[in-house]
Amino acid sequence: MFHRNLTPARATRPMLALFLAVSMLSATASAQALPQGVQKATSVEGITEYHLSNGLRVLLFPDPTKSNITVNITYMVGSRHEDYGETGMAHLLEHLMFKGSTNHPNVPKELQDHGARPNGTTWFDRTNYFETFAATDENLQWALSLEADRMVNSFIAKKDLDSEMTVVRNEFESGENDPDSILEERVMSTAYLWHNYGKSTIGARSDLEQVPIERLQAFWKHFYQPDNAVLVVAGKFDEAKTLALVQKFYGPIPKPTRPLRRTYTAEPTQDGERSVTLRRVGDVQAVAAVWHIPPGSHEEFAPMEMAGQILGDAPSGRLYKALVETKKAASVATSEYQLKDPGVFIAHASVRTESSLADARKTLLDTIDEVKTKPFTKEELERVRANWLKNFDLALNNSAAIALQLSEWQGMGDWRLLFLHRDRIKKVTLEQVQKAAEKYLIASNRTVGEFIPEKAPVRAEIPTAPDVTSLVKDYKGEAVVSQGESFDASPENIDKRTIRGDLKGGIKLSFINKKTRGNQVVATMSLHFGDENNLKGKDFAAGFAGQMLMRGTAKHTRQQIKDEFDRLKASVNVGGNETGATVRITTTKENLQPVLTLVAELLKESSFPQTEFDQVKQQTLAQLEQSKSEPQAIAVRAVQRHLNPYPKDDVRYIRTVDEEIESVKALTLDEVKAFHKSFYGASNGEFVVIGDFDPETTQKQVSDLFNDWKSQQKFARVKKEYKAVDAESVVFETPDKANAMFIAGLPVKINDTNPDYPAMLLGNYILGSGMNSRLFARIRGKEGLSYGVGAQFMASPEDDGGVFMAFAICAPQNAAKVEASFKDEVGLILDKGYTADEVEAAKKSLLQARQVSRANDGELVSRLAGQRFYNRTMAYDTEIEAKLKKLTPADVQAAMKKYMDVSRMSIYKAGDFKKAAATN
């Protein structure tokens, strides 16, 4: 339901790169007898497959290092399976699956009650539903029961379709706001004449509005059956108990007698270049082109993927060098759609209006056409292969993520393709890459689109998908990575396991040494510099300095830095803003020391190349120019400016878009270098490491690297005090935008040590956090006015400048209704408060959600760094959670009445309201 894969352009694609961030566990099925009706099928690299007599395939992926469990069920049905008049049906059905079933009538409430991180996503070849939750027997039994019941007992009722249709339509409208996404949608629909890959997963508006409930129910009953599903359980669980639970809940479901409907439409060989032009309101031009390529399971996909990355990588990619470095385009991107049937390779470039779109288009196409006369080199192949394999190796440490990514591979035919594809990437030769590129990247196989603003026909025969069963038969895979320890993520144990220390140079240390899968290490460093006075007028120089820290040093070019991190199997991000710099590291035990050495070089010896500075300028200007017509960007900036009334030279001042553009244009490289030289240093900061490493060696290395590196400027934390502002209501017209944005903002005089803070935290959680919140249940669930609606409450540990904000996207004609419902719901809460059941359920949900957060090392390092900055320990979490447990409905109502006042809230709406009024 959220962050779903809507279309090739409208939302997050099936991120095949994400599986490259996952882990394989060596745990196999228990040697004890299997439950009756369960058979073991195969086991590859820690994942074991079982079959139930009704056809359900079950994959168990135990990982004792996690404190969570992920349950993911995938149905082999997506937009590819939709008939005429049914476009968007697979995705619409995904929404209705959250409307309840016989034994689980209130799915959103149950998900929140169990502190789960849920989602559902729809793509071309599959639909999946998953929950990640704290690892308890109760939670696991609940999740398996929920998904089994939803499979065959979901309501799929007419009344739910009536309300949810408008929500999905609003999601459709949200996608209509993005010209880049619509351009890609137009190119795909032009490239595919017959196959459903040419239709967006979100569907046609007319189909969404008119689909009969009977057709939706028939679609569900046909495809949502055990013989068309794969269930994955990953995380910390007992295999024998879990198999027994699976058999208990899924075993009684009968195997259907109907033959499963299969798709058979094949896209004919493309017989000439096609083109499409998109004309809509916008501020940045774009060109996109696609080429048909083999199916994701085909042996030629691996060489095509390598060819695509050689072309699209940054900064070494040929397209990047030809377009971005020459300033013909602000940015370029490429992607390969790895699907069950033949997919596409896509290349895209964003072009500022002051540049020539025609020139950018010609350069993009010429660069790809030159592959035949300018063959790929071994260096190019090995660079992208190293990056690919680095990401894969790093990924072998996240069982929850791979549990989700198995959906994509199962959609292609079998989950074992994940490992088979890795093997192919390892073995692919330069000759195979060159041959695949020359075979498929030809003019007659190309479709080009432009957002505004042939050659001799050579045909490319696209092969059909191979027999996947024979491909994976007897496949064994590689050895499993090392195991880790089971870690208790309670505040008390985290404090017990944390080693703290202070370096004489000014850095505070927090270490948690524990055994992890694949000897993984996660680290973060925060540096603080400047104060309210010496930072005046320097925010843009500071921002650009932070953006350029990874773009070259005195010893390494940007590409060499990227290559070295790939060699070290490290995912590293180094950046900064006007008040500090931050480093994020994920690597392995054996590589931590060289990674830290290189990170220190980036921070201390950045060379700020002129060419990189020019590129950052181009990209920043393109982003700013694009935001000028976007409803969400306009509304968000407006509320931020109103709630932060500081002078123009103050570091806390929020500029207008035009002011930002002028500041970027005026900024010089000398100003950026001067800021880095004067402000950067390790006089004040934190360094946190969690994972498998040597604390003593690491402490000595950090001391040697940073103790003598001092900032030349005084540091004092820039405060965010409470500032009362008059309420205002502002409407922004954004022509030709199908989706509108609603935002409400209120300054709140509070910090997180205030006695009222726990009550405000819980009150906002019930009001606007999650699928069971009051705002979500009413504005989306009941009234169907918005796809995304919620509220945020933020408070600092020391300053009293707290903020409450509420937001919703909606159709422009529904903005007034959203505002009225929001004000009415807040008024009801202030007048009548929450029920005792609501408060108790929210306390349980919020406490479990906090536990899930602590169990994530990537989130925990940031939490520990913040605690060191404010001289806290995890005892603060213990104290807050103890106070949350004691809260009563009266406590919550009193706090919200004290700080919340609808009449003092500022309201901002941005959208094409004139067009909506004319239509109505």
Side-chain angles (χ1 to χ4, degrees):
M1 284 176 74
F2 307 95
H3 309 296
R4 66 170 46 74
N5 303 317
L6 301 181
T7 76
R10 294 193 178 202
T12 310
R13 303 184 176 88
M15 303 214 16
L16 300 180
L18 182 58
F19 86 81
L20 306 176
V22 291
S23 61
M24 319 295 148
L25 198 63
S26 64
T28 55
S30 171
Q32 56 189 292
L34 297 175
Q36 186 175 359
V38 178
Q39 292 184 336
K40 180 178 177 181
T42 187
S43 184
V44 174
E45 298 191 21
I47 303 174
T48 304
E49 178 177 343
Y50 300 89
H51 293 173
L52 270 59
S53 58
N54 57 15
L56 180 69
R57 300 173 68 181
V58 182
L59 306 181
L60 297 188
F61 189 12
D63 183 359
T65 68
K66 305 297 182 185
S67 299
N68 302 326
I69 299 174
T70 295
V71 169
N72 177 36
I73 187 159
T74 303
Y75 298 94
M76 267 53 73
V77 58
S79 60
R80 174 167 59 87
H81 301 82
E82 295 164 347
D83 290 335
Y84 187 81
E86 295 182 347
T87 61
M89 182 174 286
H91 172 246
L92 184 57
L93 179 59
E94 175 210 318
H95 276 245
L96 293 189
M97 291 288 285
F98 285 84
K99 291 294 186 178
S101 59
T102 302
N103 298 310
H104 298 268
N106 192 339
V107 174
K109 183 178 185 301
E110 290 188 25
L111 291 168
Q112 190 144 338
D113 286 348
H114 289 268
R117 291 184 175 182
N119 209 340
T121 72
T122 305
W123 193 227
F124 290 123
D125 301 315
R126 55 86 194 144
T127 304
N128 75 312
Y129 306 85
F130 65 89
E131 307 85 33
T132 297
F133 45 84
T136 67
D137 292 344
E138 175 194 2
N139 283 342
L140 178 57
Q141 179 164 317
W142 158 76
L144 293 173
S145 171
L146 168 68
E147 295 302 345
D149 201 50
R150 290 208 290 183
M151 176 184 285
V152 292
N153 292 323
S154 288
F155 295 142
I156 318 298
K158 179 66 166 63
K159 65 178 181 65
D160 292 328
L161 173 61
D162 291 341
S163 65
E164 199 65 19
M165 180 278 292
T166 56
V167 171
V168 175
R169 186 175 61 190
N170 182 224
E171 186 178 356
F172 171 94
E173 292 158 346
S174 175
E176 290 286 310
N177 272 15
D178 185 355
D180 285 344
S181 296
I182 300 303
L183 175 63
E184 187 173 341
E185 180 179 299
R186 296 291 183 269
V187 172
M188 289 290 289
S189 65
T190 305
Y192 285 101
L193 299 180
W194 303 106
H195 198 286
N196 268 7
Y197 286 168
K199 298 176 182 177
S200 68
T201 308
I202 193 70
R205 186 185 187 111
S206 59
D207 287 357
L208 297 176
E209 294 174 339
Q210 301 181 63
V211 60
I213 186 63
E214 294 79 12
R215 292 188 71 173
L216 196 61
Q217 290 170 338
F219 191 87
W220 165 63
K221 290 178 181 178
H222 184 87
F223 289 107
Y224 279 60
Q225 295 290 342
D227 64 342
N228 193 43
V230 174
L231 174 70
V232 182
V233 182
K236 188 175 183 179
F237 62 88
D238 182 278
E239 293 180 73
K241 290 182 179 179
T242 301
L243 278 176
L245 288 173
V246 170
Q247 174 64 13
K248 173 184 176 181
F249 292 114
Y250 286 90
I253 301 175
K255 184 174 184 177
T257 56
R258 57 92 182 93
L260 189 61
R261 189 162 73 243
R262 305 292 183 183
T263 61
Y264 49 81
T265 301
E267 185 70 18
T269 300
Q270 186 166 329
D271 54 3
E273 184 176 6
R274 302 169 188 163
S275 63
V276 61
T277 300
L278 175 67
R279 297 180 185 272
R280 286 195 177 194
V281 171
D283 304 283
V284 177
Q285 306 172 97
V287 56
V290 305
W291 292 259
H292 294 281
I293 60 175
S297 57
H298 194 273
E299 62 183 4
E300 286 185 306
F301 189 90
M304 268 308 305
E305 185 175 13
M306 292 293 95
Q309 294 197 17
I310 291 173
L311 290 166
D313 190 36
S316 68
R318 294 187 177 188
L319 290 173
Y320 189 92
K321 291 183 177 298
L323 287 161
V324 178
E325 291 187 356
T326 61
K327 302 181 183 179
K328 293 181 179 180
S331 63
V332 294
T334 63
S335 182
E336 304 82 30
Y337 281 5
Q338 192 166 12
L339 304 170
K340 180 175 178 58
D341 290 342
V344 295
F345 166 72
I346 183 166
H348 177 279
S350 294
V351 184
R352 295 180 61 205
T353 53
E354 66 184 40
S355 301
S356 169
L357 180 61
D359 189 22
R361 169 180 170 149
K362 183 178 187 302
T363 301
L364 185 151
L365 299 181
D366 286 349
T367 301
I368 294 178
D369 288 341
E370 285 173 359
V371 168
K372 194 167 186 177
T373 58
K374 186 181 177 183
F376 298 135
T377 66
K378 183 177 181 181
E379 179 184 7
E380 287 177 314
L381 173 59
E382 294 307 323
R383 173 177 289 147
V384 297
R385 193 207 309 265
N387 177 263
W388 197 101
L389 293 174
K390 178 264 297 194
N391 288 331
F392 189 97
D393 290 341
L394 283 178
L396 307 182
N397 300 295
N398 191 338
S399 55
I402 200 169
L404 306 184
Q405 276 305 304
L406 289 175
S407 296
E408 308 303 336
W409 300 96
Q410 189 60 46
M412 278 179 257
D414 192 286
W415 59 274
R416 289 167 288 183
L417 289 170
L418 183 157
F419 304 106
L420 183 65
H421 185 62
R422 174 206 56 198
D423 296 349
R424 286 172 169 173
I425 292 292
K426 285 186 174 183
K427 298 175 183 177
V428 69
T429 66
L430 182 61
E431 291 74 20
Q432 290 171 326
V433 174
Q434 185 67 31
K435 181 180 179 181
E438 292 184 15
K439 181 177 180 180
Y440 298 111
L441 300 182
I442 59 177
S444 65
N445 190 37
R446 180 174 69 207
T447 302
V448 184
E450 293 181 349
F451 172 57
I452 311 227
E454 132 129 64
K455 302 179 182 179
V458 179
R459 311 285 166 76
E461 298 293 335
I462 308 298
T464 60
D467 179 5
V468 173
T469 301
S470 63
L471 287 175
V472 300
K473 183 181 179 181
D474 300 324
Y475 183 79
K476 302 302 180 183
E478 297 182 348
V480 182
V481 299
S482 61
Q483 298 284 336
E485 66 175 275
S486 177
F487 184 78
D488 173 16
S490 66
E492 295 79 10
N493 187 60
I494 291 172
D495 261 344
K496 181 180 178 181
R497 294 286 297 270
T498 301
I499 304 169
R500 298 180 176 88
D502 297 332
L503 299 181
K504 66 178 182 179
I507 293 181
K508 301 175 181 179
L509 305 177
S510 292
F511 293 161
I512 296 181
N513 184 23
K514 65 174 185 176
K515 298 297 182 182
T516 54
R517 288 185 52 77
N519 301 322
Q520 179 169 288
V521 181
V522 178
T524 187
M525 174 179 282
S526 300
L527 301 178
H528 313 287
F529 40 70
D531 62 24
E532 181 179 335
N533 294 317
N534 58 33
L535 287 170
K536 284 185 177 181
K538 294 183 172 62
D539 52 331
F540 262 81
F544 268 66
Q547 290 186 70
M548 294 188 66
L549 292 174
M550 297 187 72
R551 289 178 174 250
T553 70
K555 301 174 183 176
H556 294 89
T557 65
R558 179 183 175 188
Q559 185 62 58
Q560 289 171 337
I561 292 168
K562 187 174 183 292
D563 292 346
E564 184 64 6
F565 280 136
D566 286 346
R567 187 185 68 81
L568 295 172
K569 297 183 178 180
S571 175
V572 177
N573 183 62
V574 182
N577 56 28
E578 60 270 21
T579 60
T582 303
V583 180
R584 297 281 300 187
I585 299 170
T586 300
T587 187
T588 56
K589 178 178 181 178
E590 60 269 23
N591 291 315
L592 179 59
Q593 285 186 267
V595 168
L596 288 177
T597 299
L598 184 52
V599 164
E601 180 185 323
L602 299 180
L603 287 169
K604 298 161 66 175
E605 302 177 43
S606 285
S607 57
F608 303 101
Q610 180 70 51
T611 55
E612 296 291 341
F613 175 71
D614 293 339
Q615 290 174 29
V616 174
K617 262 197 171 187
Q618 287 282 311
Q619 292 161 2
T620 303
L621 288 170
Q623 292 168 0
L624 289 170
E625 290 162 352
Q626 188 165 5
S627 73
K628 294 176 73 173
S629 61
E630 293 299 321
Q632 181 172 337
I634 291 170
V636 169
R637 186 181 293 270
V639 70
Q640 289 177 336
R641 282 176 54 78
H642 187 62
L643 298 183
N644 293 278
Y646 291 97
K648 281 193 173 183
D649 64 346
D650 194 289
V651 72
R652 293 160 292 191
Y653 173 72
I654 306 297
R655 288 175 168 83
T656 66
V657 175
D658 288 336
E659 287 173 340
E660 284 204 37
I661 289 174
E662 290 306 311
S663 296
V664 172
K665 290 180 177 179
L667 184 66
T668 67
L669 182 58
D670 286 341
E671 290 175 302
V672 175
K673 291 180 177 179
F675 182 90
H676 180 268
K677 181 179 180 180
S678 181
F679 284 86
Y680 270 70
S683 305
N684 299 276
E686 300 82 40
F687 181 60
V688 182
V689 188
I690 298 176
D692 194 349
F693 69 106
D694 185 330
E696 291 185 6
T697 301
T698 302
Q699 177 173 339
K700 182 180 185 305
Q701 183 184 13
V702 174
S703 176
D704 292 342
L705 290 172
F706 295 106
N707 268 352
D708 296 329
W709 187 40
K710 303 294 183 181
S711 174
Q712 299 177 19
Q713 296 291 331
K714 174 187 173 184
F715 165 69
R717 183 177 57 84
V718 177
K719 298 181 179 180
K720 289 291 183 74
E721 304 99 336
Y722 170 78
K723 287 184 175 290
V725 296
D726 294 333
E728 65 177 13
S729 181
V730 183
V731 176
F732 299 96
E733 281 290 340
T734 58
D736 205 36
K737 296 298 181 181
N739 195 59
M741 187 71 188
F742 163 86
I743 293 182
L746 175 70
V748 182
K749 192 172 185 179
I750 194 172
N751 61 30
D752 72 3
T753 60
N754 188 301
D756 294 324
Y757 172 74
M760 280 294 293
L761 182 66
L762 187 64
N764 179 77
Y765 189 76
I766 302 173
L767 172 64
S769 296
M771 298 172 61
N772 200 42
S773 69
R774 284 284 192 96
L775 293 179
F776 191 99
R778 175 172 178 170
I779 295 176
R780 171 169 170 158
K782 180 181 178 181
E783 299 172 349
L785 296 174
S786 173
Y787 170 64
V789 57
Q792 297 176 330
F793 166 65
M794 296 159 283
S796 166
E798 295 185 0
D799 303 327
D800 61 2
V803 175
F804 166 82
M805 293 181 66
F807 60 90
I809 62 170
C810 60
Q813 62 267 28
N814 290 330
K817 296 177 183 178
V818 168
E819 180 179 353
S821 294
F822 164 74
K823 290 181 176 179
D824 182 62
E825 194 64 35
V826 174
L828 288 172
I829 292 168
L830 299 181
D831 181 43
K832 298 181 179 180
Y834 297 120
T835 67
D837 288 344
E838 274 185 299
V839 170
E840 287 306 310
K843 288 194 286 187
K844 179 181 177 182
S845 171
L846 179 55
L847 291 171
Q848 289 199 73
R850 291 170 66 91
Q851 173 70 11
V852 170
S853 175
R854 288 192 295 267
N856 184 306
D857 290 348
E859 295 179 28
L860 183 58
V861 289
S862 297
R863 184 185 295 243
L864 292 177
Q867 288 178 345
R868 289 310 310 272
F869 180 68
Y870 289 108
N871 296 314
R872 287 177 171 175
T873 66
M874 292 299 294
Y876 172 79
D877 284 50
T878 301
E879 180 182 352
I880 286 293
E881 293 182 4
K883 292 177 179 179
L884 285 170
K885 292 177 182 178
K886 296 178 181 179
L887 288 173
T888 66
D891 295 331
V892 178
Q893 183 184 15
M896 296 194 75
K897 291 183 72 172
K898 180 177 179 181
Y899 296 99
M900 301 277 285
D901 183 349
V902 174
S903 67
R904 294 194 299 111
M905 293 183 186
S906 294
I907 305 294
Y908 304 88
K909 298 187 291 290
D912 193 350
F913 303 115
K914 290 182 179 179
K915 181 179 179 180
T919 302
N920 291 338

